[in-house]
Amino acid sequence: MTPDRFAQVRVLWESALEQPVTEREAFLARAAPADPELRAEVMTLLQAHDATSGTFSGNAVLAAGLDFLDALPSLAGRRLGAYQVTREIGHGGMGTVYEAVRADDQFTKRVAIKTLRVGSDSAEVLRRFRRERQIQAALAHPNIATLLDAGATDERVPYIVLEYVDGLPIDVHCEQKRLGIAARLNLFQQVVRAVQHAHRQLVVHRDLKPSNILVTDDGVVKLLDFGISKLIGDDHEETLTGAARAFTTAYASPEQIRGEPISTATDIYSLGIVLFRLLTGANPFDLEGIAAATAWARICDQPPRALGAAATAATATAMGYASTDRLARALRGELEAIVLMALRKEPDRRYPTADALGEDLLNHLRGHPVQARPDSAGYRIRKLVTRNRLATAALAVAFLAMAVGTVAAVSQAREATAQARIAEAERTTATRVSGFLQKLFASADLSWAGQGLGPNTTIAETIDSATGKIDTELVDEPAAAEALHRILVSMYTARRNPARGEPHALRVLELLGQRKASNQEMARGLHDLGIQLYLAGRRDSSLALLEQAYGRLEADGFPETENLVFILNQLALLAMDAGDPPKAEGYMSRALEVHRRVFGDDLLAAIATGNVGVMRNAQGDLAGAERAFRQAEAIHASLAGGENYERGNNLTNLGGSLLLLGRIEEAERNMREAIAVYDRTIGPAHLVQGVGRINLSRLELADGRPTEALATVRRGIELLDGLPPEHPTRTGGATQEAAILLALGRPAEAEPLVRWALGIRERWYPPGDWRTAETQGVLGQILLARGQSDVAIELLQSSHQNLSTALGPADPRTFAAERAAKAAGAGDGKGSVPP
Amino acid sequence: MSDPHPSEITTLLQAMAEGQPGAADQLVPMVYDRLRDLAVRAMRRESEGHTLQPTALVHEAFLLLVDQRSTEWKNRTHFYSMAARIMRRVLIDQARMRLAAKRSGGLQVTLNESIHGVDDDPAQRTVDIIAIEEALTRLESLDERPARVVELRFFAGLDVAETATVLNISPASVTRDWVFARAFLKRELLLAEGEA
């Protein structure tokens, strides 16, 4: 880039800036048809011009930098229309706030002026504001700060003029004035009234939080920023997870994070968070100092903390309690139920209106019955039991069989002399467990309201609903409680649902600790919890636990037991993720050795052999991988205990290798067989089914069936629903969908998907990982198809290089990348993704 | 080193405004030292939760160093123009020192902590001034005038009219330069973070 060239860029930029946003690409194509580089330069500048920090809320430094540039320069001392800006007050998420006065001599009314950062389209904002004028008038309410006016500075920065509110955020106000619970709840009523009023005008706030809820010194609540989100067009922004949404993480609802439609229920959720804060001084999810993606996962999947657990000393003191325990006691029961109801993950399970929330709070204060019901075990069981007693009995019997089976498996590795004693004890346990269950099913009253759980409810869901009861009912029988928790852990592991599995795994560890279990047992407990964390994507914590588990076994001198196998297996997987396939293969081979000596060729041997195949695949040893997968399949097929869903995983992987080797028909057969296995073993609606389908779509695309592939991959992505929004497995689906869309000639749709996937992969996987490199390649192909060949060629070359390093130059994936890079360099503007 | 007497500075400013060679060379180190002192003191306050406002510092320096009685508006704009460049230097030097001392290379160069509409994430407000400086330097090498506009408006707080005067261009040109420079800087930040 030379100054002369830059001058050209500048000239084109000035004209392009005048165009409406949607016309830009077309304009550039007309203005500089033979100079794609120039077009790209201007385009990226325009994009940067529009970029705001809201899009990059996951990257604090970048967001701060963008905010900083957008906030300049200060308007202090300037004249803005009829107003004179006196000073800067603060710097918000959406712009800078100033204090101003009316310039006429008659009025010295103070106002607040807020500049809005909205990229280029200030004219559009003003148009919208005028349309919204009527709504703004209707929003007039004593507890809502009125929107007075709007305009744009001479630099085309839009601003709004608001009623000036001299007050403190509601949480600060409550602490400073040392308000007790009742006083805080009464203050909160004003907030409720304001929100209800706005909802009646069909205005959703979307960003309710204490800094938007001010309280004046004489106790009048004023809500700020109503209708702003609508003004700046939030409803038109992309709804991809992680992209283009502006919200404050701590107060955001699951649907906002996932990019799902916003409704009045979203405000109710935020009100719940504010209420939680007023009562405890803290946030329901412990979000201090963690990465945005982790926070989002917590908000979407984890239940909120109990009010008592979150209560802070500062708030307790301010309220006049002697200790946090006293405060916690006051917060138990109804108040907790009310707050939790507002914080339900599903919007339609929250309070239907803000008024309803307010009323319940009033009822609580007056001692009247409260509408909110906690999700107690009793409550859920009542919903479970069917009118059909026979079915209930059948469920209990089936479980009994399973309980015995599981317990027996654990005893396999034990010494012969101990076995008899232990087996006896376990039979007793099994009886107690089934006794509990029979009591469970028989006792609850039969007025089941059929709320979504019926005769097809699985055993796991049934038991899980009684989780609270397991520990209370079986308090004198920790062995039985332990067994039940363990069973749930393995069920949730099979379903890849770590959010549910983790609490049970933790409980098992607790119980093990309490009875001073042996090193072997502790190792197993640590391993099981480590698995939950691994599935949740928390690899570092998982590794730490696995290493502890390994340490326990080392202390015992590595007796050859199934625990050693499990732990070595998991260490192998973690090494894979850390980008060290040789280390991983080392662990895995050792695991296999031990396993075959201890157990012969059973399910675990099959799984481990399959894992060796995965490791070889990642090193580019496709022939070795195929051998391993076939060995694993042979073992699976011979298993005495019948089929396991892991066989499906192995077949999928085998199919993947065959695809790379170009043996498409064979690959397809195996992949379809995999899906059939899943159907037979774990049912049609499972996470692993999602992965299987995504792989199958890859094959369909390679076979020249893109339309089928699109349907398959979308179905696969749907099935991944249970994963946290930024889980790396989802990126596989997104990348694949993008590749298919590209093949169908729809690169514009494909681009956001693959950018999202690339962002996550770059964060999750180690540098140079072949999966990230592949995604880079897809992005390169897409950009090529969209005419940005310079950037595209760079990406394709980088992708090829990384793949070559990771997989070796002879791997078909490397070849494909090489071909693509060459074709792009030769000016073949078509984009097509090789299989 | 003792504080330079206001009339010394004023005289030098006059000399610089008249285009006398050597005036700037004498002036710059004096002003640099002063501005640096002010900045360091401000940053110490910053670590207690107050924030740094370069514009205010330049203004403070102006009040301290220039004899208010005999100052024409032309001198003022010249002072600010030079101070802008110096202030930029000061902030970068400070940031680099902090980086070398293994403290964060970012400065809280944003606005007052206050209440009306403030975001709840104070941790997010540390700006990587070094990254912005690098971006600004790159802009300078490609097109000096927009970079100068940024310097004057940000580091010295000149408004559109004043900037236009210093640079001897129309206010509309200042605005256009400003919008362009900002887009360029944002793009550099985005590219640095691999987000573009």
Side-chain angles (χ1 to χ4, degrees), chain A residues 1-3 6 10 13-14 17 41 44-45 48-49 51 56-57 59-66 68-70 72-73 78 88-93 96-97 112 114 154-155 163-165 167-169 209-211 214 224 248 251 755, chain B residues 53 109-121 123-129 132 138-139 141-143 145-146 150 153-154 157-160 173 175-180 182-190 193-196:
Chain A
M1 178 63 62
T2 64
F6 198 62
R10 178 72 191 267
W13 150 272
E14 293 294 340
L17 197 57
E41 278 288 323
T44 48
L45 282 170
H49 176 67
F56 301 101
S57 47
N59 184 330
V61 173
L62 177 60
L66 292 174
F68 176 67
L69 288 170
D70 279 328
L72 307 176
R78 306 278 166 79
E88 247 166 50
I89 307 177
H91 190 67
T96 314
V97 190
K114 205 167 194 172
D154 42 2
E155 281 138 45
E163 174 192 337
Y164 185 87
V165 177
L168 296 171
K209 51 188 177 179
S211 57
L214 301 188
L224 307 177
T248 310
Y251 296 89
R755 282 195 185 280
Chain B
Q53 293 196 35
V109 198
T110 48
L111 315 159
N112 286 328
E113 306 271 344
S114 187
I115 306 223
H116 196 100
V118 159
D119 205 281
D120 279 320
D121 292 346
Q124 292 199 12
R125 307 226 246 116
T126 309
V127 172
D128 188 353
I129 206 105
I132 294 183
R138 182 149 190 262
L139 177 60
S141 69
L142 293 168
D143 190 352
R145 205 180 74 188
V150 170
R153 300 203 68 196
F154 171 59
L158 298 187
D159 65 17
V160 175
S173 299
T175 306
R176 279 196 297 268
D177 271 5
W178 170 252
V179 170
F180 178 69
R182 191 177 52 193
F184 181 89
L185 295 175
K186 276 164 77 171
R187 188 179 71 170
E188 291 297 299
L189 284 190
L190 289 166
E193 294 284 335
E195 298 273 2

Side-chain angles (χ1 to χ4, degrees), chain A residues 394-410 426 429-431 433-434 437 457-463 483-484 486-492 494-495 681:
Chain A
L395 276 175
V397 167
F399 186 76
L400 174 60
M402 203 183 310
V404 170
T406 307
V407 163
V410 168
E426 281 167 334
T429 304
T431 316
V433 167
S434 70
L437 287 167
T457 305
T458 64
I459 292 165
E461 281 160 337
T462 307
I463 298 172
L484 267 174
R486 268 229 198 89
I487 286 161
L488 287 167
V489 169
S490 57
M491 281 180 183
Y492 284 121
R495 287 165 163 241
T681 52

Side-chain angles (χ1 to χ4, degrees), chain A residues 24 247 271 299 416 428 447 463 579 598 617 625 629 652 706 723 795:
Chain A
R24 279 178 186 165
F247 51 70
L271 283 179
I299 293 170
T428 319
S447 56
I463 298 172
V598 175
N617 184 306
F629 293 137
T652 301
L723 289 173
L795 272 170

Side-chain angles (χ1 to χ4, degrees), chain A residues 419-473:
Chain A
Q419 259 181 26
R421 245 186 303 138
I422 290 163
E424 175 56 43
E426 281 167 334
R427 269 195 288 277
T428 319
T429 304
T431 316
R432 295 251 163 80
V433 167
S434 70
F436 165 64
L437 287 167
Q438 286 179 336
K439 210 165 89 176
L440 194 69
F441 286 120
S443 70
D445 84 79
L446 295 176
S447 56
W448 167 57
Q451 299 188 32
L453 294 164
N456 292 326
T457 305
T458 64
I459 292 165
E461 281 160 337
T462 307
I463 298 172
D464 195 44
S465 67
T467 294
K469 276 204 166 192
I470 294 179
D471 292 314
T472 48
E473 292 268 333

Side-chain angles (χ1 to χ4, degrees), chain A residues 475-539:
Chain A
V475 66
D476 296 322
E477 297 168 78
E482 199 186 303
L484 267 174
H485 282 298
R486 268 229 198 89
I487 286 161
L488 287 167
V489 169
S490 57
M491 281 180 183
Y492 284 121
T493 307
R495 287 165 163 241
R496 300 284 196 266
N497 192 338
R500 288 242 159 97
E502 190 180 333
H504 293 289
L506 273 167
R507 189 74 189 123
V508 168
L509 259 182
E510 259 179 8
L511 291 167
L512 287 172
Q514 274 170 21
R515 67 172 168 87
K516 307 223 186 332
S518 68
N519 275 334
Q520 282 282 346
E521 291 172 294
M522 284 303 292
R524 179 62 192 268
L526 289 161
H527 162 271
D528 286 348
L529 181 57
I531 298 279
Q532 302 311 308
L533 296 180
Y534 176 76
L535 291 173
R538 289 146 64 187
R539 283 166 306 174

